[in-house]
Amino acid sequence: MSKIVDAKVIVTGPGRNYVTLKLTTADGVVGWGDATLNGRELAVAAYLRDHVCPLLLGRDANRIEDTWQYLYKGAYWRRGPVTMTSIAAVDIALWDILGKVAGLPVYQLLGGAARDGVLAYCHATGEDVPSLLDDVAAHLERGFLAVRAQAAVPGVDKAYGVPPRGEFYEPASGAVPEESRWDTESYLRHAPEVLGAVRERFGFGFHLLHDVHHRLTPIEAGRLGRDLEPHRMFWMEDPVPAEDQSAFRLIREHTTTPIAVGEVFNSIWDCQQLITERLIDYIRTSVSHAGGITHLRRIFALAELYGVRTGSHGAGDLSPVSLAAALHVDLAVPNLGVQEYMGHTPQTAEVFRPSYTLENGYLHPGDAPGLGVEVDEEAAAKFPYDPRYLPVNRRRDGSIHDW
Ligand code: GCO
Ligand code: MG
């Protein structure tokens, strides 16, 4: 029995906001979990503080599955990003504790390494095609073997994924959401040209990815997928709003471009139809938004049965604790596809000190016991929470579109 004696929620804003859970056992072992939900951080912090932390005190830290079931079934009100991010944070922290007690990196507890390293994809962006090509070149020079390419779209104000030149991409900003404008026709004309320009310049010797960010109808997505076929995409991500699972059947009828979905999902039930009916190729659920290591493994195991590979979300709004947890899972599962890797800002690195490494396009979680991330609480206290929201997207006529 390894009793949990303390559960503390840390809210910090080193460049962007993160919510971190710290669990401590009677033996003084500390486990860290990520509970960040971009733009809704304090809802998760309150859920943990008010409804979860008090229930954890006195529980056996070794009973990870039991704690997961206790928090999931015990709440009665199931699923949803706030609940599942909270459960994820507890679960990730418990795996961290188990690894530290065992003196083993978490991936060893998950069955050991199934590969030497985890293929990572980076983000290349540009305000126009020449600047995108420069950025792709810079990432290929750094050794990346998989590159996501996003460029500004003519007529679209603040296109998704494109930061002002030289700045780190962070879509959340402002105490009220920023608004952007969207033009489907312009995007559908422009995106195949942009991705074609990337292939024309750099060839086919690396994986090319693109994120549509939930903005098309199924038939539009089918057309885009078909237009992208000559460019041999690794994947087309989130072509339509992800919650409409049967929409993906229509896309499938029109294109062989592989489809990736799942960053906004928070449970296996969100993925069930997509996986079992083979409507997608990559499942992108993240460890911190989909119930932690325990639940992510279950989703990935279901996916394996149907030939669906993994492609975990790894944007900057997932803290280094999440990225580390994802990497331990990635290293151990048989059906890894790729891991998203945006990196974190220098300010974030003042608070979180991960031991994962990136070499020749592959990430590795490292061999420190547990997850291998240290969190500097004094540094965290220096960066106050700063309310920021994800943008709202409007069509030309002013009506709200998916962002
Ligand atoms: C991605 C994602 C992110 C999200 C972000 C929202 O594929 O990396 O789409 O960029 O927009 O996580 O907070
Ligand atoms: Mg995405």
Side-chain angles (χ1 to χ4, degrees):
M1 169 97 166
S2 171
K3 224 188 224 184
I4 301 170
V5 294
D6 194 39
K8 182 176 168 192
V9 179
I10 298 165
V11 179
T12 178
R16 67 161 338 287
N17 298 312
Y18 292 110
V19 179
T20 306
L21 178 68
K22 178 187 183 187
L23 297 184
T24 309
T25 69
D27 303 324
V29 180
V30 167
W32 299 104
D34 180 21
T36 309
L37 185 62
N38 204 0
R40 294 293 185 272
E41 296 86 357
L42 299 185
V44 186
Y47 189 103
L48 281 168
R49 266 188 203 129
D50 298 342
H51 304 295
V52 174
C53 292
L55 309 183
L56 295 176
L57 303 182
R59 288 185 67 84
D60 184 352
N62 290 337
R63 298 187 62 174
I64 299 179
E65 180 69 43
D66 185 68
T67 299
W68 198 97
Q69 300 292 338
Y70 178 79
L71 294 175
Y72 182 81
K73 294 181 178 159
Y76 183 65
W77 311 107
R78 295 182 184 188
R79 310 197 281 162
V82 174
T83 300
M84 297 304 281
T85 302
S86 303
I87 296 177
V90 175
D91 186 80
I92 293 168
L94 293 180
W95 280 100
D96 192 21
I97 289 172
L98 189 65
K100 285 171 179 163
V101 170
L104 291 170
V106 167
Y107 76 82
Q108 296 287 14
L109 305 177
L110 301 177
R115 55 189 50 77
D116 300 330
V118 174
L119 178 69
Y121 77 87
C122 60
H123 287 198
T125 63
E127 285 169 317
D128 49 30
V129 173
S131 62
L132 171 65
L133 295 181
D134 288 350
D135 205 27
V136 172
H139 282 94
L140 292 175
E141 270 159 35
R142 282 180 62 197
F144 280 104
L145 305 166
V147 180
R148 187 188 94 157
Q150 308 288 139
V153 181
V156 170
D157 178 30
K158 301 192 199 85
Y160 163 75
V162 183
R165 199 175 287 254
E167 278 181 33
F168 194 83
Y169 180 62
E170 173 49 67
S173 69
V176 291
E178 275 194 5
E179 302 215 345
S180 49
R181 289 277 160 170
W182 177 246
D183 182 335
T184 298
E185 288 67 36
S186 178
Y187 171 75
L188 282 177
R189 270 195 311 275
H190 192 62
E193 281 171 26
V194 169
L195 294 159
V198 175
R199 281 303 194 203
E200 200 175 305
R201 163 91 179 269
F202 301 101
F204 289 82
F206 66 102
H207 299 301
L208 181 58
L209 298 79
H210 179 69
D211 192 346
V212 184
H213 223 262
H214 320 274
R215 290 169 186 210
L216 300 177
T217 65
I219 199 69
E220 288 163 355
R223 194 161 96 222
L224 177 63
R226 199 194 51 203
D227 290 349
L228 294 179
E229 281 170 21
H231 311 322
R232 294 279 187 271
M233 304 298 294
F234 185 88
W235 77 37
M236 165 172 84
E237 177 181 334
D238 288 335
V240 294
E243 63 269 33
D244 183 1
Q245 300 202 9
S246 65
F248 289 82
R249 192 172 301 116
L250 189 72
I251 306 175
R252 273 285 199 241
E253 283 165 7
H254 294 279
T255 182
T256 55
T257 291
I259 300 167
V261 161
E263 66 184 42
V264 298
F265 290 167
N266 43 65
S267 83
I268 198 165
W269 306 104
D270 300 321
C271 319
Q272 184 182 21
Q273 185 184 2
L274 292 178
I275 291 173
T276 60
E277 296 185 17
R278 303 177 192 273
L279 302 178
I280 58 169
D281 302 280
Y282 296 92
I283 183 69
R284 277 181 45 71
T285 36
S286 73
V287 68
S288 56
H289 296 150
I293 291 173
T294 298
H295 198 63
L296 194 68
R297 276 218 294 172
R298 205 158 275 148
I299 294 172
F300 288 178
L302 177 69
E304 191 211 348
L305 198 59
Y306 291 92
V308 173
R309 292 194 287 158
T310 74
S312 277
H313 189 206
D317 53 11
L318 286 84
S319 91
V321 173
S322 262
L323 184 59
L327 288 172
H328 286 280
V329 177
D330 290 338
L331 199 67
V333 294
N335 54 330
L336 173 82
V338 71
Q339 170 66 49
E340 181 177 20
Y341 178 71
M342 273 180 78
H344 292 93
T345 61
Q347 283 165 303
T348 299
E350 284 181 45
V351 176
F352 299 94
R353 307 217 182 88
S355 50
Y356 48 74
T357 51
L358 172 69
E359 219 178 302
N360 302 324
Y362 290 93
L363 288 157
H364 193 285
D367 281 301
L371 297 173
V373 185
E374 283 172 25
V375 182
D376 183 333
E377 288 181 76
E378 275 179 31
K382 285 194 290 188
F383 298 103
Y385 171 73
D386 178 19
R388 290 183 190 188
Y389 288 93
L390 288 170
V392 167
N393 201 22
R394 290 185 189 275
R395 301 179 194 96
R396 278 198 167 162
D397 68 358
S399 55
I400 304 260
H401 193 59
D402 299 87
W403 175 69

